């Protein structure tokens, strides 16, 4: 799991090979297959565990700015990459498990926070705002920041989103 955390947090399901996982973890292939059945099983275990840890931290935030900072703190997960990886999972049960974890641990806390800050929001708007918040916040993820040649947008973006959502 430690190797998966390092490799999947900075890559994609298809971009990380079993050989890389084995080399980085120091375990032998039979151990990997015994505990996780295959790379997809390891990916699902990593994603759901990481999302659950992140979700626990997100449930206690009281502002949009805090939400974004927790989401980006330590760059534990690239939510956009996990969404892209869903199409590469071969097992529907695995896709459903990750979607459920995203709903419970990211979308749930985002909608709860927005609803608490803006009780007048309709249910349709709430889902749209939560989705926007998650997608926009990911722009501050270090992987995307490196694509912008290391610009430092996290603090400015968090402040902008917080101001935007305070209406």
């Amino acid at each position: 799991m430690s190797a998966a955390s390092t490799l999947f947090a900075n890559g994609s399901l298809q971009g990380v090979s079993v050989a890389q996982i084995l080399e980085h973890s120091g375990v032998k292939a039979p151990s990997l297959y015994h505990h996780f059945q295959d790379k997809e099983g390891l990916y699902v275990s990593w994603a759901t565990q990481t999302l659950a840890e992140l979700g626990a931290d997100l449930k206690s935030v009281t502002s949009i700015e805090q939400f974004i900072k927790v989401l980006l703190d330590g760059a534990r997960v690239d939510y956009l990459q996990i969404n892209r990886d869903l199409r590469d999972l071969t097992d529907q049960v695995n896709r459903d498990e990750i979607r459920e974890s995203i709903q419970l641990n990211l979308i749930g806390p985002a909608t709860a926070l927005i609803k608490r800050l803006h009780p007048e929001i309709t249910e349709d708007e709430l889902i749209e705002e939560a989705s926007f918040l998650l997608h926009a916040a990911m722009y501050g993820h270090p992987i995307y920041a490196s694509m912008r040649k290391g610009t430092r947008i996290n603090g400015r973006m968090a402040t902008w989103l917080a101001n935007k959502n305070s209406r």
Side-chain angles (χ1 to χ4, degrees):
M1 283 300 275
S2 176
S5 292
T6 301
L7 296 169
F8 290 135
N10 297 305
S12 66
L13 174 63
Q14 295 304 320
V16 174
S17 70
V18 171
Q20 287 174 302
I21 294 166
L22 295 175
E23 180 181 332
H24 198 275
S25 67
V27 301
K28 303 288 184 209
S31 290
L32 173 77
Y33 295 116
H34 172 74
H35 292 287
F36 299 103
Q37 190 171 9
D38 56 14
K39 180 176 81 168
E40 185 169 310
L42 175 61
Y43 181 85
V44 171
S45 292
W46 163 77
T48 55
Q49 178 181 325
T50 303
L51 288 167
E53 291 166 1
L54 184 57
D57 293 340
L58 288 172
K59 289 176 182 167
S60 65
V61 303
T62 58
S63 72
I64 299 292
E65 193 167 23
Q66 274 185 315
F67 186 92
I68 294 166
K69 286 178 182 177
V70 168
L71 188 64
L72 297 176
D73 183 41
R76 292 181 271 185
V77 65
D78 177 356
Y79 164 68
L80 301 177
Q81 185 59 57
I82 288 178
N83 272 328
R84 288 189 296 269
D85 285 342
L86 285 173
R87 70 176 178 259
D88 294 326
L89 295 171
T90 58
D91 189 335
Q92 182 64 43
V93 171
N94 289 339
R95 283 192 294 276
D96 292 343
E97 187 174 343
I98 290 178
R99 282 188 184 110
E100 183 178 311
S101 187
I102 289 169
Q103 177 64 40
L104 179 67
N105 297 298
L106 295 180
I107 296 171
T111 56
L113 175 63
I114 293 167
K115 188 69 172 172
R116 198 167 48 249
L117 295 173
H118 304 290
E120 75 283 359
I121 274 185
T122 67
E123 289 302 311
D124 288 340
E125 290 174 319
L126 187 59
I127 297 299
E128 190 175 309
E129 294 253 347
S131 180
F132 172 77
L133 173 61
L134 289 166
H135 282 78
M138 278 294 103
Y139 191 64
H141 191 283
I143 288 174
Y144 303 108
S146 69
M147 292 176 190
R148 297 185 311 275
K149 304 206 186 304
T151 58
R152 299 194 46 106
I153 197 168
N154 293 6
R156 290 190 317 250
M157 183 195 61
T159 301
W160 176 81
L161 278 172
N163 289 336
K164 180 207 176 305
N165 281 286
S166 58
R167 297 181 189 229

